[in-house]
């Protein structure tokens, strides 16, 4: 096998690789089980030849062994989301052209009918695996390895195809930047159909020969219990998880708070990503844990591109500088490079950039300009560091001739004593082009009016950035990664 993940695992055979609800498993266990799964998948053929294998398994050893088994048999892994309803699962299975579905028994009821309707081979993880391991194919590093479906804000999700080479580049860049070692132990609480959980946590840990401790699903009390044990060295999560951990810490008694904070102090690194980290969350977490969260920027198509430093000053609200092997540039809407301090679209070139959108050659071609991947994200370089201004479409509001960053307005609004959280969107307006609207999650007992908020905001923001309309909501609509879904927020104002 030409990609190094397996070779590296062989060097660490006796070390613990995975700790999960099923127990503790060594790298040898992982190699042996994944080879048996690969043998079962091959079913007397020499090589799956990039057949797509869709699988739905909760976070744990079985998930990892299956993913590796698919790769070792020459297949392309298509991980499904445990929280998706049947139509969404069916869409991914159909769009990827999967020929095999692997399911944990918990998901048999939803997936077996799809397999029957589509006449696909169906395997349950509880089935007996072959005792004898067959001859496994040589896998070229340039082969397709993974298809992840992006949560498209417009239209149906697209399948992002990465090769074994892309994955290797993404992983080695992070291993170098974040100082991964064999002695590391990371707690995995993220979804495993998404790049953050698959690459940044799981594959980096296994590449390094480290231990990956996996929770079947996020539970604030369980996470704090594990952190309090004091044996973890790394933790990576999304802002909404940090918010939930802060709430659980605040509700604990002082002795418990001390053991929680002491557990954090024993870690070497804590990372936040997948959505913008509000500065107030960063500050609260710093007070609780002693850690200034490392913020980074990436996306499904490119892996990680920008990061605050492991050692050295991290700036709140910034995502740092380009990672090893990654080139970054900012361009205007004509494709010209912008001067420092001028906002532009982030474009990326690196060996980690994806191969293609699955069977969408036009969309793939459109996503690149002169070999650079166009992210659709807007940023500015200040003090040699990148600050993300948001999606060009959803987070950049064009009002009265001005381009306004929704994320910047949100940061200011969150400093208001009566606002718990917020989402700012642009809503079509005949006079202004778009008007700035804010959906607010208010603290209990608040009776904040638009007039009061506007006069407060005018002291902190240019007048054209001040919300023209507000709406109090119980919760903001979010996707599974905790990102606020801006189109859903905009719809709330269209109904008013």
């Amino acid at each position: 096998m030409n990609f190094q993940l397996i070779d590296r695992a062989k060097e660490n055979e006796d070390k613990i690789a995975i700790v999960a609800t099923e127990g503790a498993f060594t790298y040898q266990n992982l190699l042996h089980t994944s080879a048996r799964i690969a043998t079962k998948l091959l079913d007397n053929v020499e090589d799956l030849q990039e057949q797509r294998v869709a699988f739905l398994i909760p976070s744990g050893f079985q998930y990892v062994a299956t993913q590796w088994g698919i790769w070792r048999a020459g297949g392309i892994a298509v991980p499904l989301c445990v929280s998706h309803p049947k139509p969404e699962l069916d869409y991914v299975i159909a769009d990827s052209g999967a020929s095999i579905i692997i399911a944990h028994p918990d998901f048999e009821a939803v997936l077996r009918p799809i397999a029957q309707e589509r006449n696909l081979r169906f395997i349950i993880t509880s089935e007996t695996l072959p005792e004898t391991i067959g001859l496994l194919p040589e896998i070229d590093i340039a082969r397709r390895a993974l298809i992840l479906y992006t949560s498209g804000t417009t239209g149906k999700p697209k399948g992002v195809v990465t090769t074994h080479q892309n994955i290797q580049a993404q992983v080695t860049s992070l291993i170098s930047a974040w100082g991964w070692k064999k002695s590391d132990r990371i707690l995995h609480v993220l979804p495993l159909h998404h790049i953050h959980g698959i690459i940044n946590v799981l594959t980096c840990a296994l590449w390094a020969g480290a231990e990956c401790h996996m929770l079947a699903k996020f539970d604030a009390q369980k996470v704090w219990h594990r952190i309090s044990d004091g044996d973890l060295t790394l933790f990576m999560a999304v802002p909404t998880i940090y918010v939930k951990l802060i709430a659980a810490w605040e509700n604990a008694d002082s002795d418990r708070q001390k053991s929680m904070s002491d557990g954090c102090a024993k870690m070497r690194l804590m990372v936040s990503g997948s959505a913008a980290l509000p500065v107030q969350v960063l500050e609260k977490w710093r007070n609780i844990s002693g850690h200034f969260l490392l913020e980074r920027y990436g996306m499904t198509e490119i892996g990680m591109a920008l990061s605050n430093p492991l050692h050295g000053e991290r700036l709140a609200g910034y995502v740092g500088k380009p990672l090893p092997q990654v080139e970054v540039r900012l361009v205007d809407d004509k494709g010209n490079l912008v001067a420092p301090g001028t906002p532009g679209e982030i474009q990326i070139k690196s060996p980690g950039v994806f191969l293609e959108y699955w069977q969408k050659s036009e969309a793939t071609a459109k996503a690149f300009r002169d070999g650079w991947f166009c992210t659709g994200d807007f940023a500015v370089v200040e003090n040699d560091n990148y600050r993300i201004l948001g999606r060009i479409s959803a987070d950049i509001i064009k009002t009265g001739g001005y381009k306004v960053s929704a994320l910047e307005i949100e940061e200011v609004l969150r400093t208001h004593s009566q606002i718990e959280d917020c989402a700012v969107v642009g809503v079509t307006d005949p006079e202004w082009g778009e008007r700035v609207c804010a959906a607010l999650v208010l603290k209990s007992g608040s009776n904040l009016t638009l007039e009061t908020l506007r006069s407060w905001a005018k002291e902190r923001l240019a007048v054209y950035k001040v919300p023209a309309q507000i709406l109090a909501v119980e919760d903001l609509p979010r996707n599974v990664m905790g990102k606020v879904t801006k189109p859903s927020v905009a719809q709330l104002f269209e109904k008013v």
Side-chain angles (χ1 to χ4, degrees):
M1 192 160 205
N2 292 347
F3 71 95
Q4 290 178 40
L5 202 53
I6 302 302
D7 297 337
R8 296 179 71 87
K10 287 174 180 169
E11 292 166 18
N12 295 301
E13 287 193 347
D14 298 331
K15 277 199 85 235
I16 296 286
I18 304 288
V19 179
T21 44
E22 307 114 300
F25 301 86
T26 63
Y27 280 87
Q28 171 56 34
N29 297 144
L30 183 52
L31 287 164
H32 184 66
T33 306
S34 62
R36 290 172 72 196
I37 291 169
T39 303
K40 186 175 182 82
L41 285 170
L42 286 165
D43 196 23
N44 297 318
V45 300
E46 283 181 15
D47 188 328
L48 286 186
Q49 299 284 6
E50 295 192 348
Q51 281 183 58
R52 275 75 61 210
V53 183
F55 64 111
L56 186 53
I57 302 168
S59 185
F61 176 72
Q62 197 70 55
Y63 173 98
V64 188
T66 302
Q67 184 198 68
W68 280 31
I70 295 165
W71 286 343
R72 297 182 78 181
I76 302 176
V78 184
L80 301 170
C81 172
V82 293
S83 63
H84 277 178
K86 188 182 171 188
E88 294 201 38
L89 297 171
D90 190 44
Y91 169 76
V92 170
I93 289 163
D95 187 78
S96 65
S99 55
I100 305 170
I101 300 176
I102 305 175
H104 183 275
D106 289 358
F107 301 107
E108 180 176 7
V110 70
L111 286 177
R112 190 181 281 281
I114 295 175
Q116 286 168 342
E117 283 159 27
R118 300 192 171 278
N119 199 22
L120 308 177
R121 187 175 164 202
F122 187 70
I123 299 170
I124 297 284
T125 55
S126 53
E127 285 176 29
T128 314
L129 293 171
E131 280 306 321
T132 311
I133 291 167
L135 187 65
L136 302 183
E138 279 285 315
I139 307 297
D140 190 277
I141 193 170
R143 273 213 209 180
R144 294 168 180 85
L146 189 64
I147 302 181
L148 298 179
Y149 277 78
T150 60
S151 47
T153 47
T154 55
K156 288 279 195 186
K158 296 192 285 282
V160 174
V161 180
T162 47
T163 64
H164 291 288
Q165 198 161 19
N166 296 148
I167 291 170
Q168 186 168 307
Q170 291 175 9
V171 169
T172 51
S173 174
L174 292 181
I175 297 258
S176 148
W178 295 344
W180 277 89
K181 302 181 195 69
K182 284 186 185 187
S183 54
D184 276 319
R185 277 195 192 94
I186 190 162
L187 182 63
H188 196 319
V189 297
L190 296 166
L192 275 165
H193 66 290
H194 189 275
I195 194 161
H196 194 169
I198 294 174
I199 302 295
N200 300 19
V201 183
L202 179 63
T203 312
C204 280
L206 298 176
W207 186 278
E211 288 181 24
C212 189
H213 293 238
M214 305 176 81
L215 286 184
K217 63 173 190 286
F218 173 75
D219 175 303
Q221 296 306 329
K222 282 183 184 166
V223 170
W224 272 125
H225 182 74
R226 277 300 287 113
I227 290 174
S228 302
D229 288 345
D231 63 338
L232 298 171
T233 63
L234 281 159
F235 186 69
M236 298 182 191
V238 298
T240 46
I241 284 179
Y242 286 110
V243 169
K244 287 171 182 171
L245 292 175
I246 289 166
W249 186 91
E250 288 173 344
N251 289 329
D253 62 46
S254 57
D255 286 351
R256 180 89 185 98
Q257 284 180 345
K258 186 179 182 321
S259 77
M260 291 160 141
S261 296
D262 288 349
C264 291
K266 294 193 170 115
M267 289 199 220
R268 68 175 188 84
L269 176 63
M270 300 184 111
V271 179
S272 178
S274 289
L277 177 69
V279 174
Q280 66 177 38
V281 176
L282 181 136
E283 294 296 350
K284 276 187 183 177
W285 188 256
R286 192 180 187 179
N287 292 335
I288 286 170
S289 69
H291 283 266
F292 191 115
L293 288 170
L294 183 150
E295 263 204 281
R296 84 304 176 281
Y297 164 82
M299 60 195 298
T300 312
E301 287 90 341
I302 59 174
M304 298 303 113
L306 298 161
S307 172
N308 273 287
L310 176 63
H311 306 293
E313 189 187 12
R314 297 176 196 162
L315 300 178
Y318 290 80
V319 290
K321 298 176 182 178
L323 280 157
Q325 308 172 48
V326 181
E327 290 179 76
V328 183
R329 70 180 191 183
L330 296 183
V331 302
D332 62 21
D333 45 17
K334 293 185 179 69
N336 301 316
L337 291 176
V338 300
T342 308
E345 183 193 11
I346 304 172
Q347 296 188 348
I348 305 288
K349 198 183 266 193
S350 91
V353 172
F354 79 126
L355 180 68
E356 64 197 350
Y357 289 117
W358 180 251
Q359 296 192 328
K360 289 182 173 57
S361 53
E362 271 184 40
T364 306
K366 204 172 155 190
F368 288 88
R369 181 179 285 182
D370 306 325
W372 292 80
F373 174 69
C374 309
T375 64
D377 283 328
F378 222 48
V380 63
V381 176
E382 297 163 341
N383 316 313
D384 279 346
N385 279 266
Y386 283 78
R387 180 162 66 87
I388 306 295
L389 299 172
R391 293 295 294 164
I392 286 173
S393 51
D395 291 316
I396 301 301
I397 301 166
K398 293 177 182 172
T399 182
Y402 293 100
K403 278 185 182 174
V404 173
S405 164
L407 302 190
E408 179 194 354
I409 300 168
E410 286 163 6
E411 276 297 350
V412 172
L413 295 182
R414 284 192 195 102
T415 64
H416 192 288
S417 60
Q418 293 181 48
I419 295 174
E420 188 70 52
D421 202 357
C422 62
V424 170
V425 292
V427 175
T428 307
D429 183 271
E431 186 181 350
W432 298 97
E434 288 181 304
R435 65 181 184 279
V436 178
C437 298
L440 309 175
V441 179
L442 297 172
K443 292 184 178 169
S444 60
S446 164
N447 55 357
L448 187 63
T449 63
L450 177 63
E451 199 179 342
T452 313
L453 178 70
R454 279 180 62 82
S455 61
W456 175 88
K458 279 175 188 169
E459 293 176 14
R460 293 159 177 84
L461 289 165
V463 68
Y464 54 84
K465 296 179 183 177
V466 173
Q469 192 178 351
I470 61 171
L471 194 61
V473 294
E474 290 271 312
D475 284 302
L476 298 170
R478 297 180 186 273
N479 67 13
V480 290
M481 289 305 292
K483 264 188 191 164
V484 173
T485 49
K486 291 286 177 90
S488 306
V489 176
Q491 280 171 5
L492 297 175
F493 287 95
E494 283 155 15
K495 288 172 188 165
V496 174

